[in-house]
Amino acid sequence: MTTPRFVTWEPSIAQTIIDEFKAKPGALLPLLHAIQDRFSYIPEDAVALIAGALKLSRAEVHGVISFYHHFRTKQPGRHIVEICRAEACQSVGARGLEAYAKSALGVQYHQTTADNNITLEPVYCLGNCSCGPSVRVGNEVYAEVDSRRFDELVNSLKTERVEIL
Amino acid sequence: MTYCIHVPSDTTAKALGADRVARLVEFFAEEHKLDMKVSRNSTRGLYWIEPLVEVDTEEGRYGFGPVKEGDIESLFTAEFWKGNVDHPLALGLVEEIPYLKRQERFTFSRLGITDPLSLEDYKANDGFKGLENAIRLSSQQIVDAVKESGLRGRGGAAFPTGIKWQTVLNVESPKNQKYIVCNADEGDSGTFADRLVMECDPFMLIEGMVIAGLAVGATQGYIYCRSEYPLSIENLNQAIKTAYENSFLGANILGSNNHFDLEVRMGAGAYICGEETSLLESLEGKRGLVRAKPPLPAIVGLFGQPTVVNNVLSLAAIPFIMDKGAKAYADVGVGRSRGTLPFQLTGNVKFGGLVELAFGPTLNELMYDFGGGTRSGRPLRAVQVGGPLGAYLHESQWDTSLGYEEFAQKEAVLGHGGVVMFDNTVDMSEQARFSMEFCVAESCGKCTPCRIGSTRGVEVIDRIRSGENVDGNLNLLADLCETMVDGSLCAMGGMTPFPVQSAMKYFREDFVKSTVSTANTEEL
């Protein structure tokens, strides 16, 4: 499992990203993705820089960030665990899994565990609909997740796994 | 001799452990000092036997599945690389598995056979033949072929693709720029066919888009793909790079002086961006608010220019049509639903996966003959077809033929061909509540019936579920649904009532019981 490597907020890094993207038609979305991919969230300070470069108001940039579920304005935990809430997963027990995950982690959706290890998020469909309930951690999807598999998954996120093979 | 072992590499196969299986096969091959190559092919889409490990033999590919990590040792003991051996997971010749053999794979003919990123594999299996034919035709001739094929869009409206293309071909662009936009925002629960196209056969989508460009005179294409599909984006980007390097994209495509550029753009987790005008707003870098129509995107689309917006499955059907001929496509199907639809059997299903069939069989045939009933073994009770905005179908409707008009007659939609099965433990008032709740989370907020109506819908259903003035509140909910259907700007608000109305009509008993647990209905 690859853990994304995020860097601490640094305006010069953000500016380099902005310069790379600003000339693209419809640059804002790819730019916001690139910023979040680098810093793990979109810091408030980035908004002014982006607005200036794209000749938008800060309110317009904020309006776009807040519209999309994917974008975050606060730093998440080390791992983001997403549970599919869509119908195909519901039909095979996703509601029970959601309730279990919330109680096992002691958080609600959009919250981070006290040890800052896991941020729990809902997701509406991972395209794994024949083999639900589905959970995603980073870019990895897990199929047929019940409470036991969820515990195994969470345990594996608490420790750095050493791949023997 | 080198033994070739195929282990699928799509998201679902990986989610079921395919990567680890592939690594273990390599490890054991080394231990046994075997000359063995593990190729990561695409999936057949037979998810109930994934990970499906296939071996090349003289008679064809032999399959073993579902292969779990613990099975590898016994597979090697049985010398599985010889194909026809005695092992509990042996499935025989893969092409002879009835689930696969009974399908009509027009669009997904390469699924599970080729390496998704191998241009050689693609070309060896009829890839780019459609483009080679299209290049010799005029724009009007290509559009005529698409019209003749009867191909229709896979969105709720099922609009004829050829007519859309004709509109874009006819209209003049003020800036001499037209666009092809692929709507790869497959957000419907119960669907994964787009993901399979992009992850498993990305060159097919590229080919379809280049042909669309030739047909309408567009030189720039965008694939707007949802952020939940990172592997799709990765594979598309690699395939696009290869296509550029081999003159299938860029200037002077195949030496024809035609030009087409293509770029993938990632969405950001907004279901509404699957609506074509929201998608265009999002591509322009804005909030994904729906636009009022008219003007149609075909006339005023991306950046104000004439734009073809098609779903992945529509564009993916184009190479077949241009290669095998419009008639070959139009010859199968039922009524005005021509060609094939890749149905996706999902949810509480025993044998889930992709089933590409000509339009026409009944829903029952799909769910029982292919799906084998429910995974839980309990009786099937409700089926949602066409995504979260599609109606729930009751047993009395399951003999409906799979066709657009046939479903419309039953107040249902076929949409993207997603079939989500539920057993008799489902609480349909809870499902109706979820439909409204989903709309609260995903409405773009531009029009009142959708934005406010969905919130009020959740509240009314909560009152019904807690037994408060049930008859009065059911009437109120019926009224609210009607307002949303008639007053919403787009399909999000306009179709959200479909699952709710169908649940009220066919599963009314779930609404009128008075004591219902609300334990799982807390806020998002």
Side-chain angles (χ1 to χ4, degrees):
Chain A
M1 187 179 309
T2 51
T3 312
R5 297 273 169 241
F6 298 118
V7 300
T8 334
W9 167 249
E10 167 61 55
S12 67
I13 298 175
Q15 195 60 52
T16 311
I17 297 171
I18 291 167
D19 291 342
E20 187 189 333
F21 282 90
K22 67 181 179 192
K24 261 183 187 291
L28 188 51
L29 242 61
L31 175 48
L32 292 173
H33 273 297
I35 296 275
Q36 182 162 299
D37 287 349
R38 191 66 60 87
F39 301 109
S40 82
Y41 69 112
I42 300 165
E44 181 62 35
D45 290 351
V47 174
L49 292 179
I50 294 167
L54 297 186
K55 298 187 173 58
L56 297 168
S57 71
R58 283 162 61 177
E60 281 171 306
V61 176
H62 173 78
V64 170
I65 295 169
S66 59
F67 183 84
Y68 296 95
H69 300 308
H70 181 84
F71 294 132
R72 289 183 293 270
T73 51
K74 286 200 174 63
Q75 205 162 8
R78 276 187 290 279
H79 303 281
I80 296 166
V81 173
E82 294 171 290
I83 300 180
C84 181
R85 296 196 76 217
E87 287 87 344
C89 284
Q90 287 170 11
S91 73
V92 283
R95 286 182 208 279
L97 178 67
E98 284 179 273
Y100 179 81
K102 286 176 183 176
S103 93
L105 297 174
V107 293
Q108 295 296 312
Y109 278 133
H110 312 301
Q111 293 180 349
T112 302
T113 53
D115 60 3
N116 200 37
N117 199 36
I118 291 171
T119 300
L120 189 67
E121 296 284 353
V123 62
Y124 295 93
C125 200
L126 296 166
N128 187 44
C129 316
S130 293
C131 306
S134 307
V135 168
R136 178 163 95 151
V137 183
N139 280 347
E140 307 272 337
V141 176
Y142 297 85
E144 295 168 0
V145 181
D146 53 16
S147 54
R148 187 184 57 81
R149 289 206 50 174
F150 186 81
D151 283 343
E152 286 171 4
L153 192 55
V154 166
N155 282 333
S156 76
L157 297 177
K158 282 183 184 155
T159 46
E160 284 292 316
R161 208 167 54 173
V162 181
E163 285 279 319
I164 296 164
L165 237 147
Chain B
M1 126 173 216
T2 307
Y3 299 105
C4 190
I5 313 295
H6 305 274
V7 184
S9 61
D10 89 303
T11 294
T12 294
K14 282 165 172 282
L16 291 162
D19 286 348
R20 185 111 178 124
V21 165
R23 282 204 298 277
L24 279 168
V25 170
E26 278 170 348
F27 175 80
F28 273 88
E30 208 167 297
E31 290 278 288
H32 285 72
K33 300 197 171 18
L34 285 165
D35 183 10
M36 191 178 268
K37 179 176 155 280
V38 175
S39 103
R40 300 306 300 272
N41 62 331
S42 51
T43 176
R44 302 266 184 178
L46 276 56
Y47 284 140
W48 43 282
I49 46 171
E50 285 290 4
L52 168 63
V53 173
E54 297 181 37
V55 300
D56 280 340
T57 73
E58 277 175 14
E59 299 119 279
R61 285 191 188 174
Y62 267 79
F64 298 86
V67 176
K68 302 291 176 195
E69 285 178 40
D71 301 318
I72 309 287
E73 192 167 357
S74 67
L75 281 169
F76 272 86
T77 308
E79 302 189 331
F80 79 109
W81 57 86
K82 292 176 177 165
N84 190 11
V85 300
D86 182 28
H87 190 278
L89 297 181
L91 299 162
L93 284 168
V94 177
E95 306 276 355
E96 296 298 319
I97 296 172
Y99 195 98
L100 187 60
K101 199 173 183 183
R102 288 164 53 208
Q103 298 192 30
E104 288 157 283
R105 290 207 163 168
F106 283 19
T107 300
F108 287 98
S109 61
R110 282 171 291 268
L111 200 69
I113 296 169
T114 55
D115 169 348
L117 297 173
S118 163
L119 182 62
E120 292 69 37
D121 277 11
Y122 185 66
K123 286 166 77 175
N125 290 277
D126 295 340
F128 286 120
K129 283 189 180 163
L131 176 61
E132 282 165 18
N133 289 340
I135 263 174
R136 290 192 286 268
L137 302 175
S138 69
S139 290
Q140 188 59 57
Q141 284 172 315
I142 302 173
V143 173
D144 287 343
V146 175
K147 279 187 201 163
E148 197 191 320
S149 73
L151 178 67
R152 293 164 74 175
R154 303 322 190 191
F159 192 80
T161 306
I163 306 287
K164 197 183 264 189
W165 287 20
Q166 186 72 62
T167 310
V168 179
L169 173 61
N170 290 353
V171 70
E172 281 213 18
S173 159
K175 290 188 180 163
N176 201 23
Q177 176 70 64
K178 295 178 183 178
Y179 296 102
I180 308 295
V181 171
C182 172
N183 180 350
D185 195 29
E186 181 189 49
D188 287 353
S189 170
T191 62
F192 50 77
D194 289 7
R195 179 178 67 71
L196 289 182
V197 169
M198 296 186 283
E199 287 180 4
C200 300
D201 207 2
F203 289 113
M204 173 166 62
L205 181 57
I206 295 169
E207 184 179 356
M209 290 187 75
V210 176
I211 295 170
L214 296 174
V216 304
T219 53
Q220 175 70 51
Y222 290 101
I223 301 170
Y224 182 92
C225 183
R226 58 201 305 258
S227 55
E228 291 86 348
Y229 287 177
L231 187 58
S232 294
I233 293 170
E234 190 183 321
N235 283 5
L236 279 171
N237 277 327
Q238 283 205 45
I240 286 172
K241 186 167 172 279
T242 307
Y244 269 108
E245 288 163 0
N246 290 275
S247 281
F248 292 106
L249 282 173
N252 203 16
I253 290 165
L254 296 180
S256 69
N257 275 328
N258 287 293
H259 181 157
F260 194 75
D261 286 312
L262 185 55
E263 190 183 328
V264 180
R265 286 288 173 92
M266 179 153 71
Y271 178 78
I272 191 61
C273 291
E275 196 281 333
E276 60 178 3
T277 62
S278 287
L279 187 151
L280 294 176
E281 291 285 304
S282 185
L283 259 179
E284 291 179 6
K286 302 172 191 160
R287 292 161 71 89
L289 300 183
V290 299
R291 297 177 183 170
K293 289 192 272 193
L296 295 168
I299 296 162
V300 181
L302 186 64
F303 303 115
Q305 308 306 307
T307 303
V308 167
V309 186
N310 279 151
N311 280 339
V312 172
L313 290 179
S314 313
L315 290 162
I318 299 295
F320 176 93
I321 292 166
M322 297 313 295
D323 172 22
K324 305 286 192 286
K327 190 173 177 300
Y329 193 82
D331 270 351
V332 303
V334 61
R336 285 175 49 219
S337 305
R338 309 313 308 168
T340 63
L341 188 61
F343 297 98
Q344 297 125 86
L345 274 177
T346 76
N348 200 327
V349 57
K350 194 169 180 189
F351 305 128
L354 182 94
V355 183
E356 183 174 356
L357 290 174
F359 290 96
T362 67
L363 190 55
N364 261 327
E365 287 172 87
L366 193 61
M367 296 192 301
Y368 286 106
D369 297 358
F370 284 91
T374 62
R375 192 202 295 178
S376 62
R378 301 175 70 99
L380 193 62
R381 179 152 184 251
V383 188
Q384 190 176 33
V385 183
L389 311 179
Y392 284 97
L393 283 91
H394 174 262
E395 188 167 5
S396 62
Q397 302 165 295
W398 299 344
D399 59 352
T400 307
S401 205
L402 295 159
Y404 292 114
E405 281 67 30
E406 291 75 5
F407 262 58
Q409 279 167 13
K410 300 281 164 89
E411 297 170 325
V413 284
L414 207 47
H416 215 81
V419 176
V420 183
M421 293 158 58
F422 291 81
D423 72 12
N424 63 358
T425 58
V426 68
D427 176 344
M428 293 306 293
S429 72
E430 197 170 31
Q431 295 310 118
R433 186 191 191 277
F434 178 79
S435 297
M436 287 290 186
E437 192 187 351
F438 182 68
C439 189
V440 173
E442 300 295 339
S443 170
C444 84
K446 183 158 177 167
C447 73
T448 317
C450 177
R451 182 183 69 245
I452 309 282
S454 52
T455 300
R456 295 290 100 89
V458 173
E459 293 165 1
V460 178
I461 297 174
D462 277 347
R463 290 202 292 273
I464 295 166
R465 281 166 57 78
S466 63
E468 184 185 331
N469 184 14
V470 172
D471 286 339
N473 277 313
L474 276 170
N475 287 337
L476 185 61
L477 183 60
D479 262 5
L480 176 67
C481 285
E482 223 171 284
T483 306
M484 288 177 72
V485 170
D486 294 339
S488 298
L489 203 52
C490 83
M492 179 86 220
M495 288 171 70
T496 287
F498 291 0
V500 181
Q501 288 168 322
S502 60
M504 280 196 289
K505 184 169 175 182
Y506 294 104
F507 304 93
R508 197 176 173 86
E509 63 273 23
D510 288 11
F511 292 81
V512 295
K513 57 190 174 187
S514 57
T515 49
V516 179
S517 160
T518 50
N520 289 328
T521 54
E522 61 210 47
E523 286 302 301
L524 282 179

